[in-house]
Amino acid sequence: MKIKYTAVLSIVLIVSVVLGACAPAPTPTPTTAPVATSAPAAAPTETPVPTAAPTETPMAAAPTEAPAAAGTPMVVTAGTPLPEVTAAKPYVIGVSLDSLFLGREAEMGGVTAEAEKLGVTLKVSNADNDAQTQSAQMQSFINQKVDAILLVAVDENAIRTSTKAAHDAGIPVITFDRVLPNNPDVVFQSGLDSLADGTSCGEYVAAQNDGQPHKILELLGALNDPNAIDRSAGFEAPLKDLTNLTIIKSPTNWNAEQALADVTNAFTANPDIWAIFIPSDFMMSAIQTGLTGANRFADAGQPGHVISCAIDGSPPGYDATVASWNDALVVLPLKTEAEAAVDAAVQILNGQTPPTKVEVFPGTLYTYQDIKQNADKIWGAQAELTPTPAPTATPGS
Amino acid sequence: MAQKRSSQFFRSILDSMRRARWVAVLVGVFLLGMGFTFLSPAFLTARNLGNIAIQSAITGVMAVGMTFVIMTAGIDISVGAIAYLTSALGAALVIQYQSPIIMYLIGIFLAMLLGLINGLVINFLRINPLITTLATLYIYRGLGIHANRAGITIVHQGARFFGIGTIAGVPMPLILPILIGIIGALILNYTRFGRYVLAIGNSQDAAHDSGLPVRQVLITVYVVAGLCAGLGGLILAGRVGAVSSDQGVNIEFTVITASVLGGTNLYGGRGSILGSLIGAILLVMIDNGLNLISASPYIYDTVRGAVLVGAVMIDRASTVRLFTTGFPFNVLAARHRSEAASQS
């Protein structure tokens, strides 16, 4: 029996090692940042600055009011610089992530860089989109008596018990990416201005309006995700008075395959769809396949082209916009927004008070005409990605 | 004499329908299709029916493997992670070595290996299948995230054949589920292995006492589930054109639902490959129809849940109660008898 046990365990071990060895080297971010061995140098911290306005951009991103925040007395958009930050001692901060994907990796790049600069040790956990797992991980951070917790919540309601427990234990909780508007136990929130990002896309589509009756396919993210909800609301706001435009909504639940099915089905029922709103550009390959199947895949200015606007700024979105089959891309300032969360955490631990409780950072809209010139401002343009030719037409799909 | 023949005929229909529990989900598909046809003229078109068939390919192929597992009273919730890991690793290696064949090799052999690990752990370490595959779900997905650095890997054009390729004009996502379904049904119904699966699902102890190779069969069904998951991952990656870290998340529940809707008993001993494929079509049809009628995005989950409850009720009512009592055939037979008696 022992031999069988050993054999099975050996196979599992060998396969795990082989798989791990086969895989490309991981980025160093989702693990623990290096521990500072001495007091950190008083290096000036980058204050959150909005990305510069793009050159030749027809629709500059306009920051809008952040989501209503009960219990959060002050909300400002990016541009209010936080005071220069230095850590009074080597703090240990727990980082509770909802899941790991390209955008979160980009944010973690900002968190890790800023933590290293300030001599902060990070303990990172990933809830894999499971609210209960995240609660357990938050409790673990509380038990470990970390100095502060940086949080991207899986579920804004389910996390309340954990944020209250941290608050009761005297551990400040700082959120980034997703703002939790109604949570009184969060001491600082650094978030994306999803409302403004959606509005940028809505204004871009509105600017293309020729007064003819048109249909717009609006893809939605997860219906319980505040960012997805705000992007949708922001997109629809500039279009609500344009009565010639009809919006068809389709939920993707942040699932690329669902997005492909939605596009395919929507074009089957409405072959004359004029524009698409894509709430996250990680699904660009799926959209491309769907448009190709519907015989509507064409570059901007070509017959049959479908106007599209996407949000995020990841490599697929950047490539699609450079290739000009995607018209506009709202690029999110992920690194800046994540750095602001670390700065705020250190300030609070130092006994200082950040000038605001909520700071939101709007993205910047680039079009297919100016995106290449602004590649250095786009996080996805820096990431490695092997381009692939357009898919061949497939019946149905 | 004629009455007796008629009664036998009804009885034979009744018996075959009792066995073919997928008839219930087929009725569900038919009723739902009628409803959506009434609401949207685009539903009952060749193009849309093709869309439904293609969109159900991934769930359908994976449900074939899941049917084998559930029929032995097991469960495999790691299939989504297997699909993700194999396609993530395959896509990354294709880029590195510029050879699309790697994607297919990994999609098939690595997936079988991962299924084999599930089977070995369950059967040699005697750990509950749910717990084992829950653990391997995390391990496999974690390895996949490691492989593509939590990012998005664009799938090489040559490695997308299972997703967007065609043979003689027929899309591969249409060919593959039919092919896998036929092979699965043949194995299940016409091979010794299939009979063993059925016997073990009915009573593992009795099968063991009868000298059946219980352990080997139980390991093999997880290999089959892994293989089908790998093929599903290849179709998925090929269709979407990219592999991201959320790929295949929660698909295991859709796959299990498709199998159960198709008449597979969660306690083992009963199942149908055809039923699982029809179950996958029913699940896709819900979203497809709601898309076509431009339904509010907030009612999708409600409708999904209601249709599933409806399908289960049809299953329970028709196949269990009505058919076990023989209604309406026994009523007809009784009427024939009374009419014959009155005439005589």
Side-chain angles (χ1 to χ4, degrees):
Chain A
M1 202 63 174
K2 270 185 180 177
I3 295 171
K4 285 176 184 170
Y5 273 69
T6 314
V8 171
L9 286 173
S10 302
I11 289 172
V12 173
L13 192 65
I14 289 166
V15 170
S16 303
V17 170
V18 168
L19 288 173
C22 287
T27 48
T29 44
T31 52
T32 308
V35 181
T37 50
S38 59
T45 306
E46 282 181 13
T47 50
V49 178
T51 45
T55 54
E56 300 171 5
T57 302
M59 303 285 297
T64 60
E65 285 181 20
T72 49
M74 188 174 171
V75 177
V76 297
T77 52
T80 310
L82 295 169
E84 194 171 286
V85 180
T86 52
K89 61 176 186 170
Y91 297 118
V92 177
I93 296 180
V95 184
S96 176
L97 299 177
D98 56 342
S99 64
L100 275 177
F101 55 93
L102 204 58
R104 201 67 76 235
E105 282 280 302
E107 286 177 321
M108 281 307 294
V111 167
T112 309
E114 195 66 4
E116 277 186 38
K117 194 188 291 180
L118 297 172
V120 170
T121 299
L122 297 179
K123 294 187 172 186
V124 183
S125 68
N126 169 23
D128 213 8
N129 273 326
D130 187 306
Q132 276 193 315
T133 303
Q134 188 164 45
S135 291
Q137 291 169 342
M138 288 282 286
Q139 189 56 51
S140 171
F141 283 147
I142 294 167
N143 294 343
Q144 291 175 58
K145 295 184 170 53
V146 296
D147 295 306
I149 296 174
L150 296 182
L151 168 70
V152 185
V154 173
D155 186 301
E156 64 176 313
N157 296 315
I159 201 67
R160 283 183 177 205
T161 311
S162 301
T163 52
K164 186 171 187 315
H167 179 265
D168 293 346
I171 299 172
V173 176
I174 295 96
T175 63
F176 66 103
D177 192 280
R178 285 185 190 142
V179 174
L180 306 178
N182 300 313
N183 192 317
D185 299 312
V186 176
V187 294
F188 182 83
Q189 311 208 35
S190 172
L192 298 168
D193 195 344
S194 296
L195 208 60
D197 300 333
T199 303
S200 295
C201 270
E203 287 174 347
Y204 181 85
V205 171
Q208 316 303 313
N209 186 19
D210 57 8
Q212 299 293 313
H214 289 304
K215 291 173 186 164
I216 300 170
L217 174 60
E218 181 192 355
L219 297 176
L220 305 171
L223 298 176
N224 62 347
D225 179 352
N227 281 345
I229 294 165
D230 285 347
R231 286 176 193 182
S232 170
F235 175 73
E236 290 172 20
L239 304 173
K240 68 179 177 191
D241 295 329
L242 303 175
T243 52
N244 64 312
L245 302 180
T246 306
I247 296 178
I248 301 162
K249 296 185 192 182
S250 221
T252 68
N253 201 26
W254 295 136
N255 181 310
E257 202 225 341
Q258 185 61 48
L260 169 56
D262 287 352
V263 171
T264 305
N265 297 338
F267 274 90
T268 300
N270 309 280
D272 55 343
I273 284 173
W274 173 71
I276 302 183
F277 171 58
I278 304 160
S280 175
D281 59 15
F282 85 94
M283 55 179 79
M284 291 310 264
S285 296
I287 308 295
Q288 186 181 7
T289 307
L291 289 174
T292 305
N295 290 322
R296 294 294 303 276
F297 182 70
D299 291 344
Q302 299 299 312
H305 172 68
V306 180
I307 297 165
S308 62
C309 182
I311 295 177
D312 261 356
S314 75
Y318 174 76
D319 286 350
T321 316
V322 169
S324 84
W325 68 264
N326 181 56
D327 296 71
L329 181 67
V330 177
V331 178
L332 305 179
L334 298 179
K335 193 163 174 270
T336 311
E337 162 252 340
E339 285 170 353
V342 180
D343 288 350
V346 170
Q347 273 190 311
I348 291 163
L349 292 173
N350 285 346
Q352 300 165 299
T353 306
T356 65
K357 281 194 79 173
V358 180
E359 187 161 17
V360 288
F361 297 80
T364 305
L365 185 141
Y366 300 98
T367 71
Y368 68 94
Q369 292 156 316
D370 65 11
I371 194 162
K372 214 167 180 178
Q373 299 92 295
N374 293 288
D376 59 324
K377 304 183 188 83
I378 299 165
W379 62 271
Q382 318 301 324
E384 290 174 22
L385 190 78
T386 304
T388 187
T392 51
T394 308
S397 82
Chain B
M1 189 66 179
Q3 274 176 20
K4 191 177 179 185
R5 213 175 288 144
S6 162
S7 175
Q8 281 175 343
F9 174 69
F10 285 136
R11 193 166 295 283
S12 68
I13 291 177
L14 179 62
D15 287 345
S16 62
M17 289 183 85
R18 268 185 198 155
R19 285 194 296 270
R21 295 174 68 91
W22 50 264
V23 170
V25 73
L26 191 63
V27 170
V29 166
F30 183 72
L31 292 176
L32 195 66
M34 277 178 53
F36 283 133
T37 303
F38 178 72
L39 293 169
S40 168
F43 184 83
L44 199 61
T45 59
R47 182 180 169 186
N48 190 54
L49 295 180
N51 287 344
I52 292 171
I54 289 171
Q55 287 167 17
S56 54
I58 297 157
T59 306
V61 166
M62 293 168 81
V64 170
M66 187 63 79
T67 302
F68 279 94
V69 172
I70 296 178
M71 279 186 72
T72 62
I75 197 87
D76 185 351
I77 60 170
S78 70
V79 289
I82 291 176
Y84 167 60
L85 172 57
T86 52
S87 51
L89 204 57
L93 290 174
V94 168
I95 290 170
Q96 197 170 340
Y97 296 107
Q98 291 298 307
S99 172
I101 195 74
I102 291 176
M103 185 100 174
Y104 300 105
L105 290 176
I106 286 185
I108 292 167
F109 291 111
L110 178 61
M112 288 172 73
L113 182 63
L114 298 175
L116 177 66
I117 292 171
N118 283 343
L120 289 173
V121 173
I122 289 165
N123 287 287
F124 281 104
L125 300 185
R126 298 275 179 203
I127 301 175
N128 181 288
L130 184 70
I131 303 300
T132 301
T133 55
L134 177 66
T136 53
L137 179 157
Y138 286 119
I139 294 170
Y140 298 160
R141 187 159 288 283
L143 287 169
I145 288 174
H146 178 79
N148 81 348
R149 287 174 283 175
I152 299 170
T153 308
I154 298 294
V155 180
H156 189 283
Q157 193 66 16
R160 296 185 65 186
F161 182 67
F162 280 8
I164 60 170
T166 60
I167 292 179
V170 183
M172 282 304 287
L174 203 56
I175 295 171
L176 282 170
I178 294 173
L179 191 66
I180 303 294
I182 289 172
I183 294 171
L186 288 175
I187 290 173
L188 194 59
N189 296 312
Y190 296 103
T191 66
R192 190 178 293 172
F193 174 75
R195 287 194 294 277
Y196 288 170
V197 167
L198 197 65
I200 292 167
N202 275 313
S203 171
Q204 195 168 320
D205 292 338
H208 187 266
D209 293 344
S210 306
L212 300 189
V214 175
R215 187 172 275 174
Q216 288 92 321
V217 171
L218 288 178
I219 291 171
T220 307
V221 293
Y222 286 95
V223 175
V224 172
L227 170 65
C228 291
L231 289 171
L234 284 175
I235 301 172
L236 180 56
R239 270 175 58 70
V240 172
V243 181
S244 56
S245 56
D246 68 325
Q247 188 158 301
V249 169
N250 291 338
I251 198 169
E252 50 273 3
F253 300 113
T254 311
V255 171
I256 292 167
T257 307
S259 295
V260 173
L261 273 178
T264 305
N265 187 353
L266 272 171
Y267 299 102
R270 192 186 71 222
S272 159
I273 300 293
L274 178 60
S276 298
L277 291 175
I278 299 173
I281 289 171
L282 177 67
L283 294 173
V284 165
M285 200 190 255
I286 298 169
D287 282 4
N288 174 275
L290 292 173
N291 275 164
L292 294 191
I293 64 173
S294 301
S296 164
Y298 302 102
I299 66 160
Y300 275 63
D301 285 340
T302 309
V303 174
R304 277 188 204 119
V307 169
L308 294 184
V309 168
V312 172
M313 282 173 68
I314 290 172
D315 179 49
R316 297 288 293 174
S318 59
T319 8
V320 176
R321 197 171 39 187
L322 294 183
F323 289 173
T324 49
T325 57
F327 181 84
F329 303 115
N330 57 352
V331 174
L332 289 173
R335 190 181 296 167
H336 278 296
R337 274 197 300 276
S338 65
E339 282 173 4
S342 63
Q343 281 170 6
S344 63

